[in-house]
Amino acid sequence: MDAPQRLADQDLGALVTDWIDWAEAAQRLGTTVGKVRTMIREHQLAAAVPNPGQKGAGQRIPAAFIVDGEPVKGLPGLLTVLHDGGYDDRECIAWLFLDAELPGRPIDALQENRGSEAKRRAQAMAF
């Protein structure tokens, strides 16, 4: 039996189909790139290089993280829980976009205002 693939080894380019750069994120949020950087550092958003093997690839943010000019409701709290459990941004993004025993992906649950179960699972995973 094969061991399950680690979150850190997931192909983010395949999991997340729509990425935006920090400048686009700033525009969608109505703020500056510096504020986006702060939001990433404070775990209000997460960023990663989708395809690390791609030359000149920089960090990007999944477009699904920003809806109606704001981070998706519940995302900052969920990212904090995962980071407190030792996960990095790349692993957080992978977890949010994998279909992990929820009815759908955790990112879908957040977008549909059904984030409680996703947060409970993240808490269980992190500890």
Side-chain angles (χ1 to χ4, degrees):
M1 182 176 200
D2 291 336
Q5 189 175 20
R6 296 176 330 130
L7 285 174
D9 297 334
Q10 293 291 327
D11 179 359
L12 294 185
L15 282 177
V16 182
T17 57
D18 192 12
W19 294 88
I20 56 175
D21 63 22
W22 292 16
E24 175 69 17
Q27 182 180 351
R28 290 183 184 195
L29 292 165
T31 192
T32 65
V33 172
K35 176 66 176 165
V36 169
R37 180 178 294 112
T38 299
M39 292 175 81
I40 292 166
R41 186 176 60 247
E42 294 176 350
H43 310 306
Q44 295 173 38
L45 293 172
V49 177
N51 302 304
Q54 187 178 353
K55 188 174 181 171
Q59 283 192 333
R60 297 173 98 46
I61 299 166
F65 284 2
I66 301 171
V67 175
D68 297 329
E70 297 284 330
V72 170
K73 183 180 177 188
L75 179 66
L78 190 59
L79 290 172
T80 298
V81 166
L82 290 169
H83 280 282
D84 287 351
Y87 294 85
D88 63 19
D89 274 7
R90 183 172 194 78
E91 293 167 317
C92 292
I93 293 169
W95 186 79
L96 281 158
F97 283 86
L98 284 169
D99 194 350
E101 299 174 18
L102 289 168
R105 306 173 305 171
I107 188 63
D108 299 327
L110 290 176
Q111 288 177 330
E112 295 163 8
N113 206 18
R114 307 181 286 110
S116 305
E117 181 61 21
K119 191 168 185 181
R120 274 193 292 277
R121 292 190 190 249
Q123 288 170 329
M125 252 180 42
F127 299 107

